[in-house]
Amino acid sequence: LSGLVGSEMCIRDSPNIAFVDKNIKSIFIATSTNTHLKYIEGAVKNKKIVFCEKPLDLDLKKINQCKNNIKKYNPKIQIGFNRRYDPAHNSLRKNLIKGKIGKLEKIIITSRDPAPPPLSYLKTSGGIFKDMMIHDFDLARYYTGSDEFESVFATGEYFSDKKFRKVKDLELATVIMRSKKGVQCIITNSRHCSFGYDQRVELFGDKGMIISDNQRDLETAIYSKNSTNNKSPFKTFFIERYSEAYKIQLNDLAKLCKKNIKPIADFEDGRRSLILAETANKSLKTKIFEKVKNHNRCNMMYDPSHYVLQHLDYLSHIDIYHEKIKMFHVKDAELNPTGKQGVYGGYQSWKNRAGRFRSLGDGQIDFKGIFSKLTTYGFDNWAVLEWECCLKHPEDLSLIHI
């Protein structure tokens, strides 16, 4: 590369040499993820324009700290979200702005790699949401503009490749998001795809739809007696598929350096995409919609009586969801399954069901254990007594000694 462009090649241990060199205007960071923030701060402090590959880091707290550290320098940073620059994907946004499909209602993004990366890569990648789907989080935000996503639901699985289980990562993942204005976004990722590098984006509006489809080296189709519409395979992988996007991305960096034009993808885009990735990871564990930034309207009312009737572990539930529990219904119940009845008690009367609500103290709930766990987690909200019993009158309440 040095010989091709006529530049000097310098191989040294410390990048600080480049940071302080007054002849260098821009720093291009394509090192391992755990070095990104350190190099960004070093470059920005020396008034360098920065290009940094994604993700900024795997730890949102470190990213937020870096943001605070560099803001006084008025940093000029471009993030390597190359898919924004892809002519096909980018044209969707242009047509959206022109009103070609009316009001945006739904985004569907499909991204499947032809084969999984090696185990050594997976161990340090940060997981499918921070490593792979972060591109799609960014692309979805690019289409919604100022209408940020406020809720995220994530699910995933590993089927055939045991190495994903070893590193606690996913082979397949799906995320559903909802923006503040109600735009729905569905993202599907897979670490493997038998038919090639699958890259598709669909924007659906109240007046139409626009699609960025898979690309091939040859766009010809063969029709014969035995088969129709036979086409050549998709482009092999990201280098081939997004080759034009990389060129346009570097042109955007040149505009930032020469004309001080803000890049299409900047530091804040990198930060917000990681927020979505972390929220997806949290949703994967809790199995509920996670409000971005832990929105205070998404919480739980804890009623252990219903857990007993469903044969769920109401104590371990507190360990998992204690951050979301904002109210506690002190209500008792019992479940006594037989050879004919279980969790679902059929159409029997409440009195004759295997599972039924009882007066406080007459059921099976360990209220000592509940209050101990809630106290351990600093619960400081309402505990409301709720009476419902199929055997006793309200005036005959039993007493429970805690």
Side-chain angles (χ1 to χ4, degrees):
L1 180 62
S2 174
L4 181 64
V5 299
S7 63
E8 179 183 355
M9 181 173 65
C10 184
I11 302 175
R12 297 178 183 175
D13 294 334
S14 176
N16 292 326
I17 296 171
F19 296 159
V20 299
D21 191 329
K22 294 182 179 179
N23 295 316
I24 296 175
K25 189 173 184 178
S26 178
I27 300 293
F28 196 99
I29 302 173
T31 52
S32 56
T33 301
N34 61 356
T35 65
H36 288 178
L37 296 181
K38 178 177 67 174
Y39 291 160
I40 285 175
E41 290 196 35
V44 166
K45 288 177 182 178
N46 287 279
K47 299 180 181 180
K48 306 298 185 186
I49 294 171
V50 176
F51 175 94
C52 183
E53 263 299 343
K54 65 81 193 170
L56 284 168
D57 196 83
L58 301 178
D59 189 331
L60 183 59
K61 291 182 180 179
K62 292 181 180 179
I63 294 174
N64 289 335
Q65 184 61 52
C66 178
K67 179 182 178 181
N68 291 331
N69 293 344
I70 65 176
K71 62 182 179 182
K72 61 184 176 183
Y73 299 105
N74 190 27
K76 299 173 183 178
I77 302 171
Q78 180 186 7
I79 300 299
F81 283 131
N82 61 292
R83 296 182 192 184
R84 289 189 178 212
Y85 298 93
D86 177 67
H89 293 346
N90 190 275
S91 69
L92 267 60
R93 187 171 188 269
K94 291 178 180 177
N95 282 304
L96 178 64
I97 293 172
K98 291 177 182 178
K100 296 290 186 180
I101 62 169
K103 182 182 178 181
L104 180 62
E105 295 180 349
K106 183 180 288 186
I107 303 168
I108 301 176
I109 301 176
T110 300
S111 180
R112 301 185 179 112
D113 288 353
L119 182 62
S120 58
Y121 178 89
L122 291 172
K123 286 180 178 179
T124 59
S125 70
I128 195 169
F129 297 123
K130 293 182 179 181
D131 170 53
M132 184 175 177
M133 196 178 288
I134 196 166
H135 275 294
D136 305 309
F137 289 138
D138 176 70
L139 197 58
R141 289 189 60 253
Y142 187 49
Y143 295 134
T144 57
S146 60
D147 182 22
E148 295 287 353
F149 291 101
E150 66 173 5
S151 60
V152 178
F153 175 78
T155 185
E157 190 56 80
Y158 31 75
F159 286 101
S160 57
D161 200 330
K162 293 182 179 179
K163 67 183 176 185
F164 291 100
R165 189 185 297 271
K166 291 181 180 179
V167 295
K168 297 180 180 180
D169 198 1
L170 298 169
E171 194 174 3
L172 306 168
T174 300
V175 162
I176 302 172
M177 303 190 295
R178 185 182 183 278
S179 76
K180 292 179 180 179
K181 294 182 180 179
V183 176
Q184 297 177 33
C185 179
I186 302 169
I187 302 174
T188 61
N189 276 189
S190 175
R191 291 285 196 182
H192 65 84
C193 182
S194 61
F195 51 86
Y197 190 43
D198 189 9
Q199 299 287 292
R200 289 171 285 149
V201 181
E202 173 189 309
L203 304 187
F204 178 82
D206 62 350
K207 294 182 180 179
M209 175 177 70
I210 43 179
I211 296 175
S212 174
D213 211 339
N214 283 308
Q215 295 183 9
R216 298 172 169 83
D217 290 325
L218 294 174
E219 294 295 340
T220 56
I222 299 175
Y223 293 76
S224 67
K225 179 181 178 180
N226 298 321
S227 61
T228 60
N229 204 28
N230 287 328
K231 297 181 179 180
S232 61
F234 301 147
K235 291 189 175 181
T236 309
F237 206 13
F238 63 91
I239 296 295
E240 294 81 10
R241 170 61 182 82
Y242 291 110
S243 60
E244 191 64 25
Y246 289 121
K247 297 175 185 177
I248 299 172
Q249 181 177 252
L250 292 178
N251 288 338
D252 201 36
L253 177 61
K255 291 177 183 177
L256 176 61
C257 293
K258 295 179 179 180
K259 300 180 180 180
N260 197 28
I261 297 175
K262 183 181 178 181
I264 293 178
D266 60 15
F267 186 95
E268 184 62 12
D269 293 315
R271 191 182 76 89
R272 288 185 177 270
S273 292
L274 198 85
I275 289 174
L276 293 175
E278 289 211 343
T279 308
N281 274 325
K282 190 173 183 181
S283 172
L284 191 70
K285 295 176 182 178
T286 61
K287 306 300 182 186
I288 62 173
F289 263 92
E290 285 294 340
K291 290 289 180 179
V292 177
K293 299 180 182 178
N294 294 316
H295 200 290
N296 57 14
R297 287 181 296 178
C298 181
N299 293 297
M300 300 176 66
M301 191 281 291
Y302 175 68
D303 187 337
S305 65
H306 291 273
Y307 291 79
V308 169
L309 297 189
Q310 297 177 70
H311 208 255
L312 295 174
D313 188 338
Y314 54 85
L315 290 176
S316 65
H317 181 90
I318 297 175
D319 294 326
I320 300 169
Y321 296 110
H322 59 88
E323 293 180 351
K324 292 291 185 180
I325 297 173
K326 302 300 180 184
M327 181 177 285
F328 166 31
H329 270 191
V330 185
K331 180 179 175 182
D332 213 341
E334 64 181 356
L335 178 65
N336 300 303
T338 68
K340 294 182 178 180
Q341 290 192 64
V343 173
Y344 301 103
Y347 295 96
Q348 297 289 333
S349 65
W350 274 110
K351 184 177 180 179
N352 296 318
R353 290 186 187 182
R356 56 192 184 179
F357 299 117
R358 295 300 308 274
S359 293
L360 197 63
D362 287 350
Q364 299 168 340
I365 294 177
D366 177 11
F367 287 102
K368 282 187 178 181
I370 291 174
F371 277 100
S372 294
K373 278 190 176 290
L374 290 176
T375 301
T376 299
Y377 288 114
F379 180 78
D380 189 25
N381 289 291
W382 286 97
V384 180
L385 176 64
E386 180 182 357
W387 181 90
E388 185 178 349
C389 184
C390 59
L391 299 180
K392 290 185 177 180
H393 189 275
E395 295 179 359
D396 299 325
L397 280 173
S398 297
L399 295 177
I400 183 171
H401 301 284
I402 297 177

